[in-house]
Amino acid sequence: MPLRCEKPGCRWTAIAPSSAAAREQYREHLKDEHTTEVDAEIPEGMVQVKVDGEWKTMTPEEAKSFHEDGHGD
């Protein structure tokens, strides 16, 4: 099954020789197309996730778990 972007209206699909390469392409796509750079002081190794309209700082592992539990936007 091809790896596709799940963002509404985005038709991006990975074209890669392996699933690992496809995931790397997907990370780059998300970074380049679906992120916004902001001027904020976020501690090293932490990320911010929008929760109920408010930004929360957490570890990447917490953010992944949060997203997998269906709570992310």
Side-chain angles (χ1 to χ4, degrees):
M1 176 175 200
L3 182 59
R4 294 190 170 127
C5 183
E6 297 176 358
K7 294 286 186 180
C10 186
R11 298 173 51 99
W12 181 89
T13 301
I15 300 174
S18 69
S19 60
R23 286 190 304 274
E24 180 61 29
Q25 285 182 2
Y26 185 51
R27 281 191 288 272
E28 286 296 313
H29 164 74
L30 289 175
K31 179 181 69 73
D32 293 343
E33 299 298 324
H34 300 297
T35 60
T36 302
E37 188 172 324
V38 296
D39 185 20
E41 291 187 32
I42 302 168
E44 184 74 29
M46 302 295 275
V47 297
Q48 287 200 321
V49 176
K50 198 169 193 177
V51 180
D52 297 327
E54 193 173 318
W55 289 100
K56 303 284 185 184
T57 302
M58 56 184 72
T59 66
E61 294 79 17
E62 290 169 328
K64 182 179 180 193
S65 176
F66 184 80
H67 175 72
E68 288 172 348
D69 289 343
H71 300 287
D73 292 351

